Amino acid sequence: MAIWKVTPTLEVLTERAQGTLIAHLGIEFLDIDGESLRARMPVDERTFQPAGLLHGGVSVVLAETLGGISGFAQQNCILNT
């Protein structure tokens, strides 16, 4: 059973991400099914802290991106319009 009231498409998610932090950080939506949304984010100069390690804040951005989209889809908002 799907957890979404509206199942967004990868194309719509990618289109809506243009011009946002999601696109700037290179977050790429990979797969969506009835129970999960999968994405990846590169670890490169955009996401490093000055010490050369992954900045913890960008990990939060990835998590919040997936959580936010999931919440909207469960509430029958945005994404397929």
Side-chain angles (χ1 to χ4, degrees):
M1 175 178 205
I3 62 171
W4 325 109
K5 290 186 179 177
V6 174
T7 302
T9 66
L10 296 177
E11 294 79 19
V12 168
L13 294 177
T14 301
E15 178 184 320
R16 294 284 176 102
Q18 296 308 304
T20 70
L21 181 62
I22 297 167
H24 176 72
L25 291 178
I27 294 173
E28 179 184 3
F29 300 105
L30 300 175
D31 185 50
I32 188 163
D33 62 27
E35 297 180 356
S36 66
L37 171 61
R38 217 168 44 100
R40 67 179 167 197
M41 180 183 64
V43 176
D44 60 20
E45 65 280 350
R46 296 171 289 182
T47 58
F48 289 152
Q49 56 171 272
L53 303 171
L54 178 66
H55 192 290
V58 297
S59 298
V60 174
V61 169
L62 179 60
E64 198 284 329
T65 296
L66 297 176
I69 289 170
S70 298
F72 277 118
Q74 288 175 341
Q75 296 300 315
N76 200 19
C77 301
I78 71 165
L79 308 176
N80 272 344
T81 58

